[in-house]
């Protein structure tokens, strides 16, 4: 299992740096498959995969953020404006995930991922930057993004990225800012899943819903791969980044719809 976790982490870390997505779209389905193979973790497979995915972003996102910050690509004022809503939404998403069927919700979001990917690939690039909403609007956007992201274990880049691009933000800046926005989600979501899972009879090695051995294996390799992904994105044309991002969302959406 260790080798599988390291491979998952390498792939997730690279995507975290390259697309600003936190790697959750790789980690959640991969961990769910691994947990379903073990009778001890199978009953909690989806919830533990989501929680562990968010926890790994505490490491992966930090590495990715540092790489993007060195490129001066992160729009920190926007991150600050979104942070409060992202954290509140992450708590709400964890609460919903604790009570609702995770597999059904993941399939619902799979449809969103497909629609978002199609928009990025086929949509016309806006001329100039469209004005972002004021603070109440930005906070609401952060709340929605945080809730959905925590609910299905992603860093929010699949939502914050397209949202920024639709407002005319340069693709590389949107990816970098999305990576930074994933950290507030990871903090609030991970803490919430720890608290929510404490009352459950979870298998050995779990802290709440977070599976510590899986967290450790993925976090180490993903942290090493994230800077490589961040370096790659800054060498590509913005239009190409949009198409890669869109194509990735299409593939992930299809995978989520058909299930694990």
């Amino acid at each position: 299992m260790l080798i599988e976790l390291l491979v998952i982490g390498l792939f997730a870390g690279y995507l975290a740096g390259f697309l600003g997505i936190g790697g959750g779209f790789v980690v959640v389905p991969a961990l769910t498959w691994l947990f379903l193979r073990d009778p001890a973790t199978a009953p909690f497979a989806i919830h533990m995969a989501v929680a562990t995915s968010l926890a790994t972003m505490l490491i992966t996102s930090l590495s990715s953020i540092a790489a993007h910050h060195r490129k001066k690509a992160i729009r920190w004022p926007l991150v600050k404006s979104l942070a409060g809503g992202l954290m509140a939404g992450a708590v709400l998403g964890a609460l919903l995930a604790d009570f609702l069927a995770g597999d059904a919700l993941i399939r619902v979001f799979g449809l969103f991922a497909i629609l978002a990917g199609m928009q990025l690939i086929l949509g016309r690039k806006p001329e100039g930057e469209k004005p972002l909403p004021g603070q109440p609007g930005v906070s609401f956007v952060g709340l929605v993004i945080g809730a959905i992201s925590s609910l299905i274990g992603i860093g929010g880049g699949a939502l914050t990225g397209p949202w920024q691009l639709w407002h005319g933000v340069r693709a590389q800046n949107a990816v970098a800012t999305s990576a930074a926005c994933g950290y507030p989600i990871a903090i609030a979501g991970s803490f919430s899943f720890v608290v929510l899972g404490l009352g459950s009879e979870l298998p050995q090695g779990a802290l709440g819903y977070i599976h510590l051995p899986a967290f450790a294996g993925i976090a180490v390799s993903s942290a090493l791969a994230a800077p490589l992904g961040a370096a790659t994105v800054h060498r590509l044309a913005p239009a190409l980044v949009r198409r890669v991002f869109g194509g990735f969302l299409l593939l992930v959406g299809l995978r989520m719809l058909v299930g694990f």
Side-chain angles (χ1 to χ4, degrees):
M1 186 175 181
L2 177 59
I3 299 300
E4 294 164 318
L5 292 173
L6 293 176
V7 171
I8 293 169
L10 287 173
F11 191 31
Y14 183 84
L15 288 175
F18 182 58
L19 298 176
I21 60 171
F25 276 129
V26 175
V27 174
V28 171
L31 281 185
T32 300
W33 178 71
L34 288 177
F35 290 154
L36 285 173
R37 292 166 51 190
D38 185 348
T41 56
F44 312 98
I46 294 175
H47 286 81
M48 291 183 69
V50 168
T52 306
S53 173
L54 288 172
T56 61
M57 292 172 204
L58 294 171
I59 307 300
T60 305
S61 294
L62 191 62
S63 177
S64 178
I65 289 167
H68 284 300
H69 179 69
R70 287 193 293 270
K71 299 287 186 178
K72 298 181 178 180
I74 299 174
R75 301 182 68 166
W76 287 111
L78 181 56
V79 175
K80 183 179 178 181
S81 296
L82 285 164
L86 291 171
M87 295 186 76
V91 174
L92 176 60
L95 288 169
L96 291 173
D98 192 42
F99 290 102
L100 301 178
D103 53 348
L105 292 168
I106 288 175
R107 292 191 180 98
V108 169
F109 186 66
L111 178 60
F112 172 84
I114 290 173
L115 294 175
M118 291 177 61
Q119 170 63 27
L120 288 173
I121 294 173
L122 303 175
R124 295 180 60 184
K125 183 179 178 181
E127 297 179 2
E129 288 200 12
K130 297 179 181 179
L132 291 165
Q135 187 57 56
V138 170
S139 296
F140 178 74
V141 169
L143 181 71
V144 173
I145 290 174
I148 296 174
S149 301
S150 180
L151 186 64
I152 61 175
I154 64 173
L159 301 172
T160 53
W163 179 71
Q164 291 178 81
L165 291 172
W166 292 334
H167 285 86
V169 177
R170 186 170 174 264
Q172 278 87 344
N173 295 112
V175 168
T177 304
S178 294
C181 287
Y183 212 74
I185 296 172
I187 292 174
S190 298
F191 178 78
S192 298
F193 275 111
V194 168
V195 173
L196 291 168
L198 289 178
S200 304
E201 297 182 1
L202 292 165
Q204 187 176 3
L207 176 62
Y209 281 119
I210 297 174
H211 191 276
L212 295 178
F215 162 76
I218 293 174
V220 170
S221 57
S222 64
L224 296 175
L228 179 60
T232 302
V233 76
H234 290 285
R235 295 192 181 106
L236 300 177
L240 180 58
V241 175
R242 285 173 58 92
R243 294 189 184 100
V244 171
F245 201 171
F248 179 79
L249 288 180
L250 285 176
L251 292 175
V252 168
L254 290 171
R255 180 60 179 165
M256 293 169 75
L257 285 177
V258 300
F260 299 111

